[in-house]
Amino acid sequence: MILKKYILMFTKSELLRLTFFIGCSVMTQTDIASRMAEIAGPLVSSLGLELVEIEYKREGRAMVLRLYVDREGGVTLDDCTKVSRELSEILDVEDFIRGYYTLEVSSPGLNRPLTRESDYARYTGRLVKIRTRELLPDDAGNPRKTFTGELLGLDNGIVRLKLNEGQTAGIPFDKVAKANLEFEF
């Protein structure tokens, strides 16, 4: 009972930073996603797949650990099932995620996120949507946070686009908050 009262005196953010005297540490959502990348990356690569993105977040009342995997030509349900089964076995042994969660392995879909610099070279010529962390001007001087157009590539840390409105834009890679392929009809 004394331990319970002692812990309740801390704020939620303070608790996330504490290491309890019993030797178990509290991992943040970012810590869990990073640890999953260390574990899942080699597994996914060994199966001939690419690990695109990892999410660990609350959805409703439950936590969801979601991995997006891909390969040239797309992934199948069998690919996702195999990753899920093998990863489940590893997670049972590692046991670093406290509490209940659901593991999902999925294709990134038609609106695949662009998460690495290499994605910008791979998908040059495709329609993309980029959201930035702050207002940035396009090459015509119009400030915006959302840019949609043809990806021209990444050069010296600058993502180049030919926007749907006709002008171009150069977006520093470190200012990209989110980037996705857009489905072309």
Side-chain angles (χ1 to χ4, degrees):
M1 265 322 165
I2 294 172
L3 177 61
K4 187 175 181 180
K5 289 179 184 177
Y6 181 70
I7 291 173
L8 291 176
M9 293 185 336
F10 292 98
T11 66
K12 185 176 180 181
S13 62
E14 289 171 325
L15 273 176
L16 289 175
R17 291 188 209 103
L18 286 176
T19 300
F20 295 104
F21 67 89
I22 57 176
C24 72
S25 63
V26 176
M27 296 181 77
T28 66
Q29 289 174 314
T30 304
D31 294 336
I32 289 172
S34 295
R35 179 73 180 116
M36 279 307 306
E38 293 170 6
I39 293 170
L43 168 68
V44 169
S45 292
S46 74
L47 297 172
L49 301 167
E50 170 192 5
L51 181 59
V52 175
E53 188 174 22
I54 297 174
E55 297 175 342
Y56 182 66
K57 62 183 183 177
R58 180 169 303 286
E59 289 187 0
R61 289 193 234 176
M63 295 300 290
V64 176
L65 175 60
R66 187 174 292 121
L67 284 77
Y68 294 99
V69 297
D70 202 6
R71 78 162 59 152
E72 195 67 39
V75 294
T76 65
L77 180 58
D78 288 339
D79 293 327
C80 293
T81 301
K82 186 165 187 152
V83 171
S84 178
R85 284 186 182 143
E86 291 193 27
L87 195 54
S88 289
E89 290 178 18
I90 294 170
L91 289 172
D92 286 345
V93 172
E94 292 286 327
D95 195 29
F96 64 91
I97 303 173
R98 302 289 176 233
Y100 177 77
Y101 64 93
T102 301
L103 173 64
E104 294 180 7
V105 179
S106 177
S107 160
L110 295 174
N111 292 6
R112 182 194 200 280
L114 306 176
T115 57
R116 294 177 284 273
E117 289 186 11
S118 60
D119 292 339
Y120 292 85
R122 180 176 174 186
Y123 293 105
T124 295
R126 297 282 304 271
L127 182 64
V128 299
K129 182 181 219 174
I130 298 176
R131 290 180 190 87
T132 58
R133 302 182 196 291
E134 58 193 58
L135 281 173
L136 296 173
D138 58 28
D139 291 347
N142 304 312
R144 52 173 64 196
K145 288 181 89 172
T146 302
F147 299 80
T148 304
E150 178 187 347
L151 178 61
L152 301 176
L154 178 72
D155 187 34
N156 293 323
I158 304 295
V159 179
R160 300 292 310 164
L161 293 175
K162 180 176 182 201
L163 301 175
N164 287 346
E165 298 85 11
Q167 71 272 32
T168 58
I171 305 163
F173 181 74
D174 64 346
K175 302 289 184 187
V176 173
K178 186 172 184 165
N180 294 82
L181 293 177
E182 286 289 292
F183 182 71
E184 298 181 62
F185 295 97

